[in-house]
Amino acid sequence: MNKLNLSLKNIIRVDSNFFVNILKEKENSITPQSWMEGWTIEAGMLAMKYMLESGQSTEVVLTANDMIAIGVGQAIKSSEIKVPEQLQIIGINNNEMSSLVSPSISSIDIPKTTLAKEAVRLTNKHIKGNDTNAYHININTHYIKRESTQF
C-alpha cells in the first residue's frame, strides 16, 4: 500500500472553512447557495476562481470531495497553470466522474461499505445497551493516482 505524505505548507484545503472565508472577504456578495448546495463542481470552480483572483499560490489543492476537485480542474483550464506540473489536485471519495474528466482527478477512496457497517454496528450498540461512549474508528483509505497528481 502506498503512503501519501504531503507537507501542509503548500496545500490549500477547499472545505467549508475555505468558503466561509470567501464570504467574509466578499462581504456577503456571494450567497451560500452558490457554493454549499451539494458540494458541487460549481463550488470548485468558484474556489479556484477566487484563488486565482486573490493571487494565492500553492502546489496542491485538497478538496472536500471529488466534485469540488473536478470544478477546480475545470476552472484552472482558463489559466496558464499546468496540472499536475504546477498544481496538483486531489479529491476525496473516488467518485466515478473523477476518472472521466480531463485531467482525471486523483482521489482518496473511502470504503463506504465499511464505513456504513461501522455506523450501523455502533448505532446498534448504542440502542441495545444505552452506550453513550464516543468511539474513534480507523478505516483504511486508498490513494487513487490519476492525471491530476505527480506523486
Side-chain angles (χ1 to χ4, degrees):
M1 182 186 313
N2 292 337
K3 295 275 185 191
L4 179 61
N5 294 313
L6 300 173
S7 165
L8 293 180
K9 178 181 169 189
N10 294 317
I11 295 178
I12 291 181
R13 286 185 347 206
V14 180
D15 58 12
S16 58
N17 290 330
F18 181 88
F19 291 114
V20 166
N21 290 334
I22 290 176
L23 284 177
K24 287 178 184 174
E25 284 188 27
K26 298 286 185 177
E27 298 175 2
N28 295 323
S29 62
I30 300 172
T31 64
Q33 290 78 13
S34 66
W35 52 264
M36 204 55 181
E37 291 178 356
W39 292 94
T40 62
I41 291 171
E42 291 79 16
M45 293 176 76
L46 173 68
M48 181 47 62
K49 180 180 175 190
Y50 171 79
M51 284 191 278
L52 292 170
E53 289 174 355
S54 68
Q56 292 184 47
S57 66
T58 188
E59 296 172 9
V60 177
V61 174
L62 174 62
T63 65
N65 72 16
D66 286 347
M67 300 308 282
I68 295 172
I70 290 168
V72 168
Q74 297 304 305
I76 205 71
K77 287 180 178 182
S78 65
S79 75
E80 295 183 16
I81 298 172
K82 291 183 172 86
V83 175
E85 294 84 0
Q86 295 173 299
L87 177 71
Q88 299 183 70
I89 305 167
I90 305 171
I92 296 175
N93 72 8
N94 195 26
N95 183 301
E96 182 179 338
M97 282 188 62
S98 55
S99 66
L100 302 174
V101 296
S102 179
S104 59
I105 303 296
S106 296
S107 187
I108 299 171
D109 184 43
I110 301 170
K112 294 163 196 69
T113 302
T114 304
L115 189 61
K117 284 179 182 177
E118 285 298 312
V120 169
R121 183 182 68 79
L122 290 175
T123 301
N124 283 333
K125 187 174 182 176
H126 175 73
I127 291 170
K128 290 178 180 175
N130 257 348
D131 185 355
T132 59
N133 293 321
Y135 293 92
H136 180 89
I137 296 174
N138 291 318
I139 296 177
N140 291 328
T141 59
H142 306 280
Y143 174 64
I144 310 297
K145 185 192 180 317
R146 296 193 180 103
E147 296 168 341
S148 68
T149 56
Q150 294 179 325
F151 47 82

